[in-house]
Amino acid sequence: MRLYLAIPLVVVALLFVASGVAAITRSWVLPWNRRHVRRVRLYGWGQLVAAVGLCCQAVFGLAISGIHVRQWGTMTGSVFLVTGLIVMAVAQRLGGERQVSGTP
């Protein structure tokens, strides 16, 4: 196992998980994403799916030695990662413009 690749992948996946759980449970998004995210919970689910994809790629790509299992595992991780990114992008676009209180 290549630790110089596995450790950063796991750290990024854990950060995605923490941010996704915060978005789902507390409706909290990182400050630089607050302006863009329209549906916070959907964004959080996208982050969790992307974190699962990163973990699949780390486990199957770096820890498993069987060539066929490694290929299918990393492909599955790639599908999860792309699906999570698409869900996060949809969460930024859905919902239209935010309502602004007050008179124009």
Side-chain angles (χ1 to χ4, degrees):
M1 178 188 246
R2 297 175 188 101
L3 288 178
Y4 63 91
L5 293 175
I7 291 173
L9 274 177
V10 170
V11 168
V12 169
L14 288 175
L15 290 174
F16 265 53
V17 167
S19 181
V21 168
I24 292 170
T25 59
R26 304 284 184 196
S27 296
W28 183 84
V29 180
L30 291 169
W32 51 83
N33 286 340
R34 287 184 187 150
R35 186 177 344 144
H36 305 290
V37 175
R38 302 288 184 222
R39 302 205 36 207
V40 176
R41 291 191 179 186
L42 184 62
Y43 188 79
W45 283 109
Q47 286 182 324
L48 289 179
V49 171
V52 167
L54 281 176
C55 287
C56 281
Q57 287 186 345
V59 168
F60 288 107
L62 300 173
I64 304 297
S65 61
I67 189 72
H68 295 295
V69 175
R70 184 170 30 179
Q71 286 177 349
W72 284 104
T74 54
M75 184 62 73
T76 304
S78 297
V79 168
F80 276 123
L81 185 61
V82 169
T83 303
L85 292 175
I86 289 171
V87 169
M88 289 174 15
V90 167
Q92 291 180 358
R93 295 292 178 197
L94 285 180
E97 294 296 320
R98 291 186 178 172
Q99 297 292 328
V100 178
S101 62
T103 57

